Amino acid sequence: MFVDQVSVFVKAGDGGNGLVAYRREKYVPLGGPAGGDGGNGADVIFKVDEGLNTLMDFRYNRHFKGKRGENGMSKTQHGKNASALVVPVPPGTTVFDEDTGEVIADLLVHEQQAVIAKGGRGGRGNTRFATANNPAPAIAENGEPGQERNIKVELKVIADVGLVGFPSVGKSTFLSVVSAAKPKIADYHFTTLSPNLGVVDTSDHRSFVMADLPGLIEGASEGIGLGHQFLRHVERTRVIVHVIDMASTEGRDPYDDFVKINQELAEYDPRLMNRPQIIAANKMDMPESEENLAKFKEQLGDDYPVYKISALTREGLRDILFAIADALESIPKVTTELDDADETVVYRYQKEEAPFQITRDPDGSYVLYGTKIEKLFKMTDFQHDESAQRFSRQLRGMGVDTALRERGAKDGDIIRLLDYEFEFVE
């Protein structure tokens, strides 16, 4: 089964906890703090494996979780960092954040990799908090929580040439006679439900990868028929070959077919219209095909090269394959975006997210939430009074106390943070 789109949950490993410990040796009085730091949690990394050509592995495993770092140890020993979780993906994989729509990674070439979720850093042991005023602190941090996110993984087939056209115009037959590919061929619409790839060798020893893409119908750019499942795979191709039924065996007008296909491509992504296009006038062995071709060329003009072929009798295949190979030689190999000439990185100012926000529950209690304050809370070790006091000072420094008073909080009111409750004390 060809799987080219799937939703996945990834969770990087949490950092290991820091340790509160002291040096205790017979002849070393007042040995001081000796608690080590925790190890870093595992990153979740996607890495390209050219041996894969589908996202089938994701169909059965939708959750990927990295290991947490090892806790800090006595004698100032650092906990072991967790090894990254490396997930193999096929070339042409694009990863999106489902919540924001942001593109996280676009993976194209063998062994290219990207960090999808960043592991949390290890918490600091009490050795890190020693000062002249507090030489033996009872403070340690818990490990930072690893990043977690819902992602959408899409596969866009990487092929040099994409065959496009209405259903049953002969795309699969064309691919089967010019390469060793064996696509399913039948006389009904949408025989091809997923892309078929074949390597084409010309007689002058040039080669390229050709993709027979699922049949396109009017309205595909709006999701009708196979819709975006088809159009997604056109994005990677460097040359587009229109396969058109010149015999008009289903009663459609060849020029009208060509116009509608280009319209769908333009509505899906206007940049596709910048790709070189070659027209394969197929089924030229059938009656009335010559008359239809003459009329087609009149309406088309001189904008696109037209090649007469018959995939069934193999007539004209040599010429069109040479033309495709010549066109590919003038186009650079796969890049992230074929039409992006300007690679200048533009940095824009982004307003920093508020460290906390306050709402009220129906029972009158105040609710604190926000990425920064929640991470701070999770990294605080409340088993030690000094750590709790440090957390209280951090909240005061962030302006939480003042903000609560402005919202009307009084002595004894309940404050909620995650699943925990505190009492507001003046």
Side-chain angles (χ1 to χ4, degrees), residues 117-367:
K118 183 72 178 167
R121 71 168 176 83
R124 293 175 290 179
N126 68 332
T127 309
R128 300 281 190 178
F129 295 96
T131 64
N133 292 334
N134 187 7
I139 301 174
E141 287 178 334
N142 291 335
E144 180 185 16
Q147 189 179 13
E148 56 183 78
R149 63 204 318 182
N150 293 301
I151 61 172
K152 182 169 70 173
V153 185
E154 282 188 358
L155 174 61
K156 299 174 185 176
V157 167
I158 295 181
D160 299 308
V161 181
L163 301 179
V164 301
F166 272 75
S168 301
V169 294
K171 299 186 299 298
S172 297
T173 306
F174 181 40
L175 180 68
S176 69
V177 297
V178 299
S179 74
K182 302 297 178 190
K184 183 179 179 181
I185 299 170
D187 59 354
Y188 57 85
H189 286 193
F190 296 107
T191 310
T192 305
L193 294 174
S194 61
N196 293 302
L197 294 179
V199 178
V200 179
D201 286 307
T202 62
S203 55
D204 61 350
H205 307 294
R206 291 181 289 179
S207 65
F208 51 85
V209 178
M210 181 179 283
D212 158 29
L213 300 166
L216 177 62
I217 63 173
E218 196 172 357
S221 60
E222 299 169 5
I224 297 174
L226 293 180
H228 293 176
Q229 293 180 45
F230 157 82
L231 289 162
R232 183 186 314 123
H233 299 291
V234 186
E235 289 184 44
R236 302 287 192 202
T237 58
R238 296 191 286 150
V239 171
I240 296 172
V241 175
H242 288 266
V243 182
I244 297 177
D245 175 8
M246 277 300 159
S248 195
T249 52
E250 297 192 350
R252 293 193 310 270
D253 177 57
Y255 182 72
D256 192 44
D257 281 4
F258 173 74
V259 171
K260 284 178 179 174
I261 290 168
N262 264 348
Q263 186 178 341
E264 295 302 325
L265 295 176
E267 287 179 3
Y268 178 72
D269 186 349
R271 290 175 298 184
L272 292 176
M273 303 313 295
N274 297 331
R275 312 279 164 88
Q277 296 188 7
I278 294 174
I279 296 171
N282 194 22
K283 303 188 182 181
M284 292 304 296
D285 56 313
M286 302 280 286
E288 300 183 7
S289 56
E290 288 290 351
E291 293 85 345
N292 289 338
L293 178 59
K295 183 181 174 185
F296 177 82
K297 284 184 174 179
E298 274 182 33
Q299 295 171 298
L300 182 68
D302 300 325
D303 295 337
Y304 303 97
V306 181
Y307 291 86
K308 294 166 40 173
I309 69 164
S310 170
L312 193 64
T313 65
R314 306 197 176 198
E315 174 197 346
L317 296 183
R318 184 175 182 274
D319 291 342
I320 193 171
L321 294 182
F322 278 9
I324 293 170
D326 291 342
L328 288 171
E329 286 180 353
S330 64
I331 306 169
K333 205 67 177 170
V334 175
T335 57
T336 306
E337 282 299 338
L338 295 174
D339 302 315
D340 282 352
D342 184 8
E343 296 182 358
T344 306
V345 178
V346 179
Y347 293 95
R348 294 183 178 87
Y349 171 74
Q350 290 184 331
K351 189 176 181 181
E352 189 176 348
E353 184 183 350
F356 67 91
Q357 294 186 52
I358 303 172
T359 59
R360 295 196 72 171
D361 275 351
D363 61 0
S365 57
Y366 294 86
V367 179

Side-chain angles (χ1 to χ4, degrees), residues 376-387:
L376 194 64
F377 176 76
K378 289 175 182 176
M379 293 182 69
T380 300
D381 182 2
F382 287 99
Q383 293 180 351
H384 299 92
D385 289 343
E386 282 191 42
S387 293

Side-chain angles (χ1 to χ4, degrees), residues 97-136:
D97 188 310
E98 273 202 317
D99 299 322
T100 64
E102 170 198 4
V103 177
I104 301 169
D106 199 7
L107 303 167
L108 301 174
V109 295
H110 184 53
E111 295 196 341
Q112 183 183 355
Q113 62 184 39
V115 177
I116 306 302
K118 183 72 178 167
R121 71 168 176 83
R124 293 175 290 179
N126 68 332
T127 309
R128 300 281 190 178
F129 295 96
T131 64
N133 292 334
N134 187 7

